[in-house]
Amino acid sequence: MGVEYRQTPEILRTEDQEQRRARLEEHRARLREAFGSFRHTCQVATVHARSSKAIEACDHVFAASRTVYITLGDIAEGATNASAFYAALDHYWSAVQELGKAVRLEEP
């Protein structure tokens, strides 16, 4: 998901509102495609996690990704400012870091 999120700032810089909306909708379609394998990876990670902290961290990454997706839809519709994406993205990357820490702390 992070690979797709890195493409978003360029789209958000599109000044023409209709063009930005169209580009965001195309972007969201790519995110939906990537989401299937992302969801599967989260499910596998949850099944193989040894601690509740790792499971919880994986759930946070999944939820944060959903928030980014919804935020992009709100931006496309003009319901929220583009800056909301960056707040949601910061939350996503924090959740990814939390997951990394939780996994490293698990015993082999």
Side-chain angles (χ1 to χ4, degrees):
M1 300 305 292
V3 171
E4 288 294 331
Y5 296 153
R6 285 184 179 99
Q7 296 174 21
T8 309
E10 179 186 335
I11 296 167
L12 293 176
R13 285 192 291 271
T14 304
E15 291 187 26
D16 180 88
Q17 296 299 317
E18 285 304 312
Q19 186 180 26
R20 181 170 73 173
R21 180 182 177 168
R23 290 185 69 196
L24 279 170
E25 289 305 324
E26 290 171 5
H27 185 54
R28 290 179 81 224
R30 287 190 306 274
L31 287 170
R32 280 190 301 275
E33 287 178 29
F35 192 75
S37 61
F38 173 75
R39 180 180 57 212
H40 177 73
T41 300
C42 285
Q43 290 169 336
V44 169
T46 299
V47 167
H48 292 285
R50 296 182 179 157
S51 70
S52 61
K53 185 164 180 112
I55 292 169
E56 197 172 289
C58 193
D59 289 345
H60 288 164
V61 170
F62 187 82
S65 182
R66 182 179 183 279
T67 299
V68 172
Y69 180 80
I70 290 170
T71 300
L72 288 173
D74 290 345
I75 293 167
E77 294 298 321
T80 192
N81 190 298
S83 63
F85 164 74
Y86 298 101
L89 188 64
D90 285 346
H91 182 70
Y92 171 81
W93 287 122
S94 292
V96 168
Q97 286 181 326
E98 175 190 328
L99 176 59
K101 288 177 188 174
V103 169
R104 284 190 300 275
L105 292 174
E106 287 197 335
E107 294 183 24

